[in-house]
Amino acid sequence: MEPKNLFSESGIIITLLLIAIPIIVASILVIIKAKKVLKNFLKKKELEKFNEYIKNLSPEEVQKLELRKKQLEFSLSNNELAGDTTPIDAKGLIDNVREASSLRFIEQKKKSQARPYIEPDLTKLILWYLGCATFWLLFGTTVGEYVGIKFVAPDVDHYSWLSFGRLRPVHTNAVFWGWASLAMLGLAYYVIPRVSNVPIASIKTGYRTLILVNASVILGSLFLMAGINNGGGEYREYIWPVMALFGIAVIISLRNFYKTIAKRTTKEIYVSNWYIISAMMFLLVIAVIAYWPSWQNGLGETIIQGYYMHQGVGMWFMLFNLGLMYYFLPQQLNKPIYSYSLGILAFWIQILFYTLIGTHHFIFSAIPWWLQTVAIVGSAGMVIPVVAGTTNFLMTFKGSWHKLSGSYTLPFYLIGIIFYFTGSLQGTAEAFKFTNLIWHFTDFTVAHSHLTMYGIICFMLWGFIYTVVPRLTGKEPPQITVGAHFWLALIGLLFYTFPLMYGSTLRGLMWMEGTKSFIESVELMAPYWLWRAIGGSLMWLSHILFAYNFYVMVKKKEEIEIPSSPKDILNAKVALDNQEVTN
């Protein structure tokens, strides 16, 4: 094969531009910091000149300064109008005026909004969903952490049920169907009744869905570790009876949501409900197509695998989370979404193009060329909804950027939006012929899947959970551990993905040259897999902090409160007097 200039290829150029975006942002921050350092340096120089000046002051100048100092230090005695009598605050205007906030090492962020009225039964249901989702996040990523360690220490164990081939699908399916899906459904049980302005149709149906989803993930994980699987492609390793449980769960919740929306008191159906209901409908279509046996052999199985893998990510997780974002972002910023029309445009264009891109990872395969071409065109067309959605979200931020520094939830939203843009367009870049030739079958697709599923879906879900749980329970998470969760997850993701993308590019070029053996390409990846393990470890630690934060927000603990205000003290005295009379 003739050598090509990498930088003349469109896919490479787009990928470099996407990587450059966070680097440019970081460079701007470095420049701002450098300007501050330079400013301090100039101030020090100015201070040195000033010190020289005051050393050489004449006696007359010193006398004038002392006189001026005495004039400036003159002050009133502060009792000219009040006199010496004790002040009486009959109206309680200056109560607690002597209290002062203590100095804090961590900047105090804005508390969540006051809790709206939500039915106690619905509150309990939502918290059960989010609690189970948190458990599956910890379980699934603990398995993923162990799998990542196996890249560095492959002989760490010799048990068949702990082998990489069995644990890797346990990890991916647990975080897909256990963590992300349960979190999305739980948040939908909050959003759909609120935008419809009616109670949820059935609480019991919500619990049935919760039980079925948990049962499917438990059974699926046990079967996978026992070596019982679908034998198919990525993300559909669960056997069909297990996925049937998940499908039934989605069907009954879809009916529940549909009945709720049908009873809405508002004329229009808000865009969030468009996205959420469509995502659930698409998931059912995707699952039936993926598990129907008629086309599960030969080349047809590969085509269906590409369809299932991409539709699962784009038409279930992405569509669902975008619907949640259209509710939570305007609500957090206390302003309407920038453009309702852009949201509807992105919705229909995503349905048009994303459903066509299933085979864009199989360029130059035995799949019919027209189908490969359709996938490339569909991938390029995805630029439209991604740019429309990103513009809509960022323009909603316009005029409210100052709220970022005072919020512990909005940074999660913003990172999710940034990765929505960069991660999605990276998928477009991967669909081009030359880049597909380099990156397919390498760890680049692993990095890409984590940029999207983790950088977009997880960060958005965390932001939504930190937003809604304090409203349900009235308890805030510790802001220092929320900050630690955010930075460990973000830095860990960058440590995980950037080295893999770089190493995989080198590996793909090595394969294309054809001059070195396969095992040499494996040895090439060793240091990049080490970075993968380090980044994964940081991400895993962030999940432990998230679980702790969730526990703090939902734990039931009656704290002993000692009355401090006159009103509370008098009420306590009345209660004690009544208790003595009763006794």
Side-chain angles (χ1 to χ4, degrees):
M1 183 174 179
E2 294 182 6
K4 288 190 176 183
N5 182 5
L6 284 179
F7 301 104
S8 65
E9 297 296 330
S10 303
I12 297 292
I13 294 171
I14 293 173
T15 302
L16 291 176
L17 288 174
L18 293 174
I19 293 174
I21 289 174
I23 295 175
I24 291 170
V25 172
S27 301
I28 292 171
L29 294 175
V30 170
I31 291 171
I32 293 172
K33 185 69 175 177
K35 287 180 69 175
K36 288 183 179 180
V37 173
L38 180 60
K39 186 177 179 181
N40 288 336
F41 175 75
L42 295 175
K43 281 283 185 183
K44 286 182 180 179
K45 289 295 183 183
E46 188 177 345
L47 180 61
E48 291 176 2
K49 291 182 181 179
F50 178 76
N51 290 337
E52 286 296 322
Y53 162 72
I54 60 176
K55 283 181 183 178
N56 300 319
L57 283 175
S58 64
E60 291 80 9
E61 289 175 316
V62 172
Q63 188 176 3
K64 287 180 181 179
L65 288 170
E66 288 177 349
L67 177 62
R68 184 58 182 158
K69 175 188 173 187
K70 189 180 294 184
Q71 293 170 348
L72 293 173
E73 287 178 347
F74 174 78
S75 63
L76 298 172
S77 60
N78 296 323
N79 65 348
E80 284 80 4
L81 298 177
D84 297 326
T85 57
T86 304
I88 298 176
D89 183 24
K91 296 185 181 295
L93 297 177
I94 58 173
D95 188 34
N96 293 328
V97 76
R98 290 181 297 276
E99 292 183 4
S101 298
S102 58
L103 294 175
R104 296 183 178 89
F105 177 71
I106 301 298
E107 180 186 3
Q108 192 69 14
K109 303 291 185 180
K110 183 181 178 182
K111 300 292 184 182
S112 65
Q113 296 183 8
R115 169 181 174 162
Y117 176 74
I118 301 170
E119 302 91 326
D121 290 341
L122 182 59
T123 294
K124 187 176 179 182
L125 173 66
I126 295 169
L127 292 178
W128 266 108
Y129 268 93
L130 300 181
C132 291
T134 302
F135 168 79
W136 288 118
L137 174 67
L138 275 181
F139 170 80
T141 54
T142 299
V143 173
E145 167 73 2
Y146 188 65
V147 168
I149 291 172
K150 278 177 171 280
F151 276 93
V152 183
D155 295 326
V156 68
D157 70 73
H158 298 281
Y159 300 102
S160 59
W161 52 278
L162 290 179
S163 62
F164 180 89
R166 297 188 185 182
L167 284 185
R168 203 265 177 173
V170 170
H171 158 66
T172 55
N173 286 276
V175 294
F176 268 43
W177 314 121
W179 149 242
S181 297
L182 277 177
M184 294 188 312
L185 288 168
L187 291 166
Y189 271 98
Y190 177 88
V191 170
I192 285 181
R194 296 199 63 77
V195 298
S196 303
N197 204 27
V198 291
I200 193 72
S202 171
I203 298 283
K204 289 183 179 179
T205 299
Y207 280 107
R208 293 187 185 105
T209 296
L210 178 67
I211 292 169
L212 287 171
V213 172
N214 277 304
S216 67
V217 180
I218 292 171
L219 291 173
S221 299
L222 291 174
F223 282 140
L224 288 176
M225 295 182 76
I228 303 170
N229 57 67
N230 186 44
E234 197 173 23
Y235 311 143
R236 58 171 178 156
E237 293 90 351
Y238 285 173
I239 57 176
W240 73 262
V242 171
M243 281 307 291
L245 291 177
F246 191 91
I248 294 169
V250 173
I251 290 172
I252 62 177
S253 267
L254 174 59
R255 184 171 178 271
N256 202 14
F257 293 156
Y258 182 82
K259 289 168 66 177
T260 304
I261 296 169
K263 295 188 297 181
R264 70 190 183 280
T265 58
T266 54
K267 182 179 179 181
E268 293 185 355
I269 299 176
Y270 184 61
V271 65
S272 289
N273 286 347
W274 285 53
Y275 278 87
I276 292 170
I277 295 299
S278 297
M280 299 177 78
M281 293 169 64
F282 268 106
L283 177 68
L284 297 174
V285 173
I286 295 162
V288 170
I289 290 176
Y291 281 86
W292 194 263
S294 300
W295 41 64
Q296 298 301 312
N297 295 309
L299 198 57
E301 194 273 340
T302 303
I303 296 172
I304 295 302
Q305 169 57 27
Y307 171 82
Y308 169 81
M309 178 173 57
H310 282 89
Q311 303 315 298
V313 173
M315 303 307 288
W316 168 239
F317 295 108
M318 196 71 71
L319 209 60
F320 206 121
N321 270 272
L322 291 174
L324 296 173
M325 180 65 79
Y326 273 103
Y327 171 79
F328 282 110
L329 181 63
Q331 191 274 331
Q332 276 294 88
L333 296 174
N334 197 25
K335 60 193 297 190
I337 195 72
Y338 172 71
S339 172
Y340 197 90
S341 299
L342 268 181
I344 300 300
L345 171 70
F347 173 81
W348 287 113
I349 298 298
Q350 177 154 341
I351 290 175
L352 173 63
F353 285 121
Y354 208 100
T355 50
L356 303 177
I357 70 172
T359 56
H360 82 181
H361 279 298
F362 304 133
I363 309 301
F364 300 112
S365 68
I367 293 171
W369 185 246
W370 67 266
L371 190 57
Q372 298 181 43
T373 304
V374 167
I376 295 173
V377 172
S379 300
M382 275 302 296
V383 172
I384 300 171
V386 170
V387 171
T390 305
T391 301
N392 213 4
F393 297 143
L394 293 181
M395 291 303 290
T396 304
F397 264 105
K398 185 180 179 182
S400 301
W401 291 106
H402 62 282
K403 294 183 179 180
L404 269 173
S405 61
S407 171
Y408 61 83
T409 58
L410 287 176
F412 286 94
Y413 287 59
L414 184 60
I415 290 298
I417 293 167
I418 290 173
F419 278 116
Y420 170 57
F421 178 77
T422 56
S424 299
L425 292 191
Q426 185 191 65
T428 297
E430 284 184 79
F432 296 152
K433 295 177 183 177
F434 184 74
T435 49
N436 202 280
L437 201 58
I438 296 177
W439 292 329
H440 189 46
F441 294 126
T442 72
D443 289 75
F444 197 98
T445 51
V446 177
H448 171 65
S449 65
H450 281 79
L451 278 177
T452 50
M453 277 302 298
Y454 197 88
I456 305 172
I457 306 304
C458 286
F459 272 89
M460 286 186 179
L461 287 176
W462 287 325
F464 302 152
I465 291 171
Y466 282 132
T467 298
V468 76
V469 174
R471 295 184 197 169
L472 299 175
T473 64
K475 297 177 182 177
E476 301 279 342
Q479 293 183 7
I480 187 169
T481 49
V482 173
H485 167 209
F486 175 83
W487 287 111
L488 282 173
L490 179 58
I491 294 171
L493 178 61
L494 297 179
F495 279 6
Y496 187 106
T497 54
F498 277 43
L500 278 187
M501 288 190 289
Y502 179 74
S504 297
T505 303
L506 297 179
R507 192 182 195 189
L509 292 172
M510 181 184 291
W511 287 350
M512 290 171 66
E513 289 174 3
T515 57
K516 295 185 179 179
S517 64
F518 177 80
I519 195 62
E520 287 181 285
S521 73
V522 175
E523 293 171 352
L524 170 74
M525 289 300 297
Y528 306 108
W529 284 334
L530 177 59
W531 277 108
R532 170 184 178 152
I534 293 171
S537 298
L538 295 178
M539 293 152 72
W540 178 66
L541 289 174
S542 78
H543 305 159
I544 295 175
L545 291 176
F546 168 69
Y548 170 76
N549 292 334
F550 183 81
Y551 168 74
V552 170
M553 290 188 287
V554 300
K555 69 176 179 179
K556 293 182 178 179
K557 183 179 180 182
E558 296 183 1
E559 297 182 359
I560 299 174
E561 296 184 2
I562 300 175
S564 57
S565 68
K567 179 182 177 181
D568 293 338
I569 293 172
L570 290 173
N571 288 339
K573 185 180 186 319
V574 171
L576 284 174
D577 291 342
N578 292 337
Q579 186 177 357
E580 290 178 0
V581 170
T582 304
N583 293 338

PDB file of all heavy atoms in Angstrom, residues 40 159 171 173 220 232 255 267 287 324 349 382 385 462 488 496 516 549 562:
ATOM      1  N   ASN A  40       1.558  39.842  39.395  1.00  0.00           N
ATOM      2  CA  ASN A  40       2.125  39.811  40.746  1.00  0.00           C
ATOM      3  C   ASN A  40       3.604  40.180  40.734  1.00  0.00           C
ATOM      4  O   ASN A  40       4.093  40.877  41.632  1.00  0.00           O
ATOM      5  CB  ASN A  40       1.941  38.422  41.361  1.00  0.00           C
ATOM      6  CG  ASN A  40       0.503  38.147  41.728  1.00  0.00           C
ATOM      7  OD1 ASN A  40      -0.281  39.077  41.942  1.00  0.00           O
ATOM      8  ND2 ASN A  40       0.133  36.880  41.798  1.00  0.00           N
ATOM      9  N   TYR A 159      -8.794 -18.483  37.150  1.00  0.00           N
ATOM     10  CA  TYR A 159     -10.142 -19.018  37.263  1.00  0.00           C
ATOM     11  C   TYR A 159     -10.919 -18.698  35.989  1.00  0.00           C
ATOM     12  O   TYR A 159     -10.924 -17.559  35.523  1.00  0.00           O
ATOM     13  CB  TYR A 159     -10.863 -18.422  38.472  1.00  0.00           C
ATOM     14  CG  TYR A 159     -10.163 -18.704  39.783  1.00  0.00           C
ATOM     15  CD1 TYR A 159      -9.387 -17.726  40.406  1.00  0.00           C
ATOM     16  CD2 TYR A 159     -10.292 -19.946  40.403  1.00  0.00           C
ATOM     17  CE1 TYR A 159      -8.748 -17.983  41.615  1.00  0.00           C
ATOM     18  CE2 TYR A 159      -9.653 -20.219  41.608  1.00  0.00           C
ATOM     19  CZ  TYR A 159      -8.878 -19.227  42.201  1.00  0.00           C
ATOM     20  OH  TYR A 159      -8.247 -19.491  43.385  1.00  0.00           O
ATOM     21  N   HIS A 171     -18.859  -6.428  32.747  1.00  0.00           N
ATOM     22  CA  HIS A 171     -18.628  -4.991  32.990  1.00  0.00           C
ATOM     23  C   HIS A 171     -19.505  -4.125  32.099  1.00  0.00           C
ATOM     24  O   HIS A 171     -20.237  -3.252  32.576  1.00  0.00           O
ATOM     25  CB  HIS A 171     -17.139  -4.674  32.753  1.00  0.00           C
ATOM     26  CG  HIS A 171     -16.854  -3.241  32.464  1.00  0.00           C
ATOM     27  ND1 HIS A 171     -17.048  -2.238  33.399  1.00  0.00           N
ATOM     28  CD2 HIS A 171     -16.378  -2.627  31.351  1.00  0.00           C
ATOM     29  CE1 HIS A 171     -16.709  -1.070  32.866  1.00  0.00           C
ATOM     30  NE2 HIS A 171     -16.308  -1.279  31.621  1.00  0.00           N
ATOM     31  N   ASN A 173     -22.200  -4.780  30.206  1.00  0.00           N
ATOM     32  CA  ASN A 173     -23.645  -4.937  30.336  1.00  0.00           C
ATOM     33  C   ASN A 173     -24.169  -4.430  31.670  1.00  0.00           C
ATOM     34  O   ASN A 173     -25.284  -3.898  31.743  1.00  0.00           O
ATOM     35  CB  ASN A 173     -24.043  -6.403  30.126  1.00  0.00           C
ATOM     36  CG  ASN A 173     -23.970  -6.821  28.676  1.00  0.00           C
ATOM     37  OD1 ASN A 173     -24.884  -6.606  27.907  1.00  0.00           O
ATOM     38  ND2 ASN A 173     -22.840  -7.422  28.285  1.00  0.00           N
ATOM     39  N   GLY A 220     -28.188 -12.079  33.957  1.00  0.00           N
ATOM     40  CA  GLY A 220     -27.255 -11.937  32.842  1.00  0.00           C
ATOM     41  C   GLY A 220     -25.810 -12.023  33.289  1.00  0.00           C
ATOM     42  O   GLY A 220     -24.987 -12.687  32.640  1.00  0.00           O
ATOM     43  N   GLY A 232     -22.924 -13.672  20.385  1.00  0.00           N
ATOM     44  CA  GLY A 232     -22.961 -12.653  19.347  1.00  0.00           C
ATOM     45  C   GLY A 232     -21.935 -11.575  19.591  1.00  0.00           C
ATOM     46  O   GLY A 232     -20.861 -11.811  20.156  1.00  0.00           O
ATOM     47  N   ARG A 255     -45.682   2.150  28.599  1.00  0.00           N
ATOM     48  CA  ARG A 255     -47.146   2.294  28.715  1.00  0.00           C
ATOM     49  C   ARG A 255     -47.505   3.227  29.865  1.00  0.00           C
ATOM     50  O   ARG A 255     -48.422   4.052  29.755  1.00  0.00           O
ATOM     51  CB  ARG A 255     -47.775   0.913  28.919  1.00  0.00           C
ATOM     52  CG  ARG A 255     -49.293   0.910  28.968  1.00  0.00           C
ATOM     53  CD  ARG A 255     -49.818  -0.519  28.943  1.00  0.00           C
ATOM     54  NE  ARG A 255     -51.276  -0.555  29.035  1.00  0.00           N
ATOM     55  CZ  ARG A 255     -51.959  -0.609  30.184  1.00  0.00           C
ATOM     56  NH1 ARG A 255     -51.295  -0.654  31.346  1.00  0.00           N
ATOM     57  NH2 ARG A 255     -53.282  -0.641  30.186  1.00  0.00           N
ATOM     58  N   LYS A 267     -51.177  21.801  26.768  1.00  0.00           N
ATOM     59  CA  LYS A 267     -51.619  21.510  25.404  1.00  0.00           C
ATOM     60  C   LYS A 267     -50.544  20.762  24.623  1.00  0.00           C
ATOM     61  O   LYS A 267     -50.811  19.752  23.979  1.00  0.00           O
ATOM     62  CB  LYS A 267     -51.988  22.813  24.688  1.00  0.00           C
ATOM     63  CG  LYS A 267     -52.516  22.592  23.270  1.00  0.00           C
ATOM     64  CD  LYS A 267     -52.883  23.919  22.615  1.00  0.00           C
ATOM     65  CE  LYS A 267     -53.385  23.682  21.199  1.00  0.00           C
ATOM     66  NZ  LYS A 267     -53.740  24.956  20.513  1.00  0.00           N
ATOM     67  N   ALA A 287     -33.925  -4.211  20.178  1.00  0.00           N
ATOM     68  CA  ALA A 287     -33.779  -5.511  20.834  1.00  0.00           C
ATOM     69  C   ALA A 287     -34.397  -6.629  19.999  1.00  0.00           C
ATOM     70  O   ALA A 287     -33.819  -7.720  19.873  1.00  0.00           O
ATOM     71  CB  ALA A 287     -34.424  -5.462  22.217  1.00  0.00           C
ATOM     72  N   LEU A 324     -33.622  14.273  28.997  1.00  0.00           N
ATOM     73  CA  LEU A 324     -33.449  14.722  30.384  1.00  0.00           C
ATOM     74  C   LEU A 324     -32.754  16.082  30.440  1.00  0.00           C
ATOM     75  O   LEU A 324     -33.106  16.941  31.253  1.00  0.00           O
ATOM     76  CB  LEU A 324     -32.645  13.679  31.164  1.00  0.00           C
ATOM     77  CG  LEU A 324     -33.291  12.297  31.330  1.00  0.00           C
ATOM     78  CD1 LEU A 324     -32.309  11.323  31.983  1.00  0.00           C
ATOM     79  CD2 LEU A 324     -34.572  12.390  32.154  1.00  0.00           C
ATOM     80  N   ILE A 349     -33.605  14.949  12.882  1.00  0.00           N
ATOM     81  CA  ILE A 349     -32.414  14.667  12.078  1.00  0.00           C
ATOM     82  C   ILE A 349     -31.629  13.509  12.678  1.00  0.00           C
ATOM     83  O   ILE A 349     -31.048  12.685  11.952  1.00  0.00           O
ATOM     84  CB  ILE A 349     -31.530  15.922  11.955  1.00  0.00           C
ATOM     85  CG1 ILE A 349     -32.282  17.041  11.236  1.00  0.00           C
ATOM     86  CG2 ILE A 349     -30.255  15.609  11.187  1.00  0.00           C
ATOM     87  CD1 ILE A 349     -32.696  16.716   9.814  1.00  0.00           C
ATOM     88  N   MET A 382     -24.780  13.246  10.764  1.00  0.00           N
ATOM     89  CA  MET A 382     -24.939  13.421  12.212  1.00  0.00           C
ATOM     90  C   MET A 382     -24.318  14.718  12.717  1.00  0.00           C
ATOM     91  O   MET A 382     -24.566  15.122  13.860  1.00  0.00           O
ATOM     92  CB  MET A 382     -24.325  12.223  12.947  1.00  0.00           C
ATOM     93  CG  MET A 382     -25.269  11.037  13.087  1.00  0.00           C
ATOM     94  SD  MET A 382     -26.795  11.446  13.939  1.00  0.00           S
ATOM     95  CE  MET A 382     -26.170  11.865  15.559  1.00  0.00           C
ATOM     96  N   PRO A 385     -27.493  17.261  13.749  1.00  0.00           N
ATOM     97  CA  PRO A 385     -28.130  17.251  15.076  1.00  0.00           C
ATOM     98  C   PRO A 385     -27.161  17.524  16.220  1.00  0.00           C
ATOM     99  O   PRO A 385     -27.548  18.121  17.225  1.00  0.00           O
ATOM    100  CB  PRO A 385     -28.728  15.840  15.179  1.00  0.00           C
ATOM    101  CG  PRO A 385     -27.930  15.014  14.233  1.00  0.00           C
ATOM    102  CD  PRO A 385     -27.577  15.930  13.109  1.00  0.00           C
ATOM    103  N   TRP A 462     -24.810  12.030  36.364  1.00  0.00           N
ATOM    104  CA  TRP A 462     -24.359  12.514  37.672  1.00  0.00           C
ATOM    105  C   TRP A 462     -24.885  13.921  37.959  1.00  0.00           C
ATOM    106  O   TRP A 462     -25.330  14.213  39.064  1.00  0.00           O
ATOM    107  CB  TRP A 462     -22.827  12.497  37.734  1.00  0.00           C
ATOM    108  CG  TRP A 462     -22.248  11.121  37.838  1.00  0.00           C
ATOM    109  CD1 TRP A 462     -22.791  10.053  38.505  1.00  0.00           C
ATOM    110  CD2 TRP A 462     -21.020  10.658  37.274  1.00  0.00           C
ATOM    111  NE1 TRP A 462     -21.976   8.956  38.375  1.00  0.00           N
ATOM    112  CE2 TRP A 462     -20.876   9.288  37.629  1.00  0.00           C
ATOM    113  CE3 TRP A 462     -20.026  11.250  36.503  1.00  0.00           C
ATOM    114  CZ2 TRP A 462     -19.789   8.527  37.245  1.00  0.00           C
ATOM    115  CZ3 TRP A 462     -18.941  10.480  36.116  1.00  0.00           C
ATOM    116  CH2 TRP A 462     -18.826   9.142  36.485  1.00  0.00           C
ATOM    117  N   LEU A 488     -11.697  13.603  39.655  1.00  0.00           N
ATOM    118  CA  LEU A 488     -11.149  12.253  39.463  1.00  0.00           C
ATOM    119  C   LEU A 488     -11.748  11.593  38.231  1.00  0.00           C
ATOM    120  O   LEU A 488     -11.038  10.938  37.449  1.00  0.00           O
ATOM    121  CB  LEU A 488     -11.429  11.391  40.705  1.00  0.00           C
ATOM    122  CG  LEU A 488     -10.526  11.618  41.919  1.00  0.00           C
ATOM    123  CD1 LEU A 488     -11.033  10.827  43.112  1.00  0.00           C
ATOM    124  CD2 LEU A 488      -9.082  11.240  41.608  1.00  0.00           C
ATOM    125  N   TYR A 496      -7.339   7.795  30.477  1.00  0.00           N
ATOM    126  CA  TYR A 496      -7.763   6.535  29.870  1.00  0.00           C
ATOM    127  C   TYR A 496      -7.790   6.630  28.346  1.00  0.00           C
ATOM    128  O   TYR A 496      -7.300   5.736  27.642  1.00  0.00           O
ATOM    129  CB  TYR A 496      -9.153   6.191  30.399  1.00  0.00           C
ATOM    130  CG  TYR A 496      -9.689   4.829  30.014  1.00  0.00           C
ATOM    131  CD1 TYR A 496      -9.749   3.797  30.939  1.00  0.00           C
ATOM    132  CD2 TYR A 496     -10.179   4.581  28.733  1.00  0.00           C
ATOM    133  CE1 TYR A 496     -10.257   2.548  30.595  1.00  0.00           C
ATOM    134  CE2 TYR A 496     -10.688   3.345  28.382  1.00  0.00           C
ATOM    135  CZ  TYR A 496     -10.724   2.333  29.316  1.00  0.00           C
ATOM    136  OH  TYR A 496     -11.231   1.109  28.967  1.00  0.00           O
ATOM    137  N   LYS A 516       5.949  -5.676  10.391  1.00  0.00           N
ATOM    138  CA  LYS A 516       6.225  -6.201  11.728  1.00  0.00           C
ATOM    139  C   LYS A 516       5.143  -7.189  12.128  1.00  0.00           C
ATOM    140  O   LYS A 516       4.022  -7.156  11.617  1.00  0.00           O
ATOM    141  CB  LYS A 516       6.313  -5.056  12.735  1.00  0.00           C
ATOM    142  CG  LYS A 516       7.492  -4.112  12.460  1.00  0.00           C
ATOM    143  CD  LYS A 516       7.620  -3.053  13.531  1.00  0.00           C
ATOM    144  CE  LYS A 516       8.823  -2.133  13.236  1.00  0.00           C
ATOM    145  NZ  LYS A 516       8.967  -1.088  14.243  1.00  0.00           N
ATOM    146  N   ASN A 549     -21.516  10.085  48.300  1.00  0.00           N
ATOM    147  CA  ASN A 549     -22.351  11.288  48.217  1.00  0.00           C
ATOM    148  C   ASN A 549     -23.835  10.926  48.146  1.00  0.00           C
ATOM    149  O   ASN A 549     -24.671  11.582  48.779  1.00  0.00           O
ATOM    150  CB  ASN A 549     -21.966  12.111  46.984  1.00  0.00           C
ATOM    151  CG  ASN A 549     -20.586  12.710  47.098  1.00  0.00           C
ATOM    152  OD1 ASN A 549     -20.076  12.939  48.190  1.00  0.00           O
ATOM    153  ND2 ASN A 549     -19.955  12.968  45.967  1.00  0.00           N
ATOM    154  N   ILE A 562     -30.635  21.384  69.346  1.00  0.00           N
ATOM    155  CA  ILE A 562     -30.854  22.187  70.549  1.00  0.00           C
ATOM    156  C   ILE A 562     -31.408  23.537  70.130  1.00  0.00           C
ATOM    157  O   ILE A 562     -30.794  24.229  69.306  1.00  0.00           O
ATOM    158  CB  ILE A 562     -29.544  22.363  71.343  1.00  0.00           C
ATOM    159  CG1 ILE A 562     -29.019  20.980  71.760  1.00  0.00           C
ATOM    160  CG2 ILE A 562     -29.756  23.252  72.559  1.00  0.00           C
ATOM    161  CD1 ILE A 562     -27.688  21.020  72.447  1.00  0.00           C
TER     162      ILE A 562
END
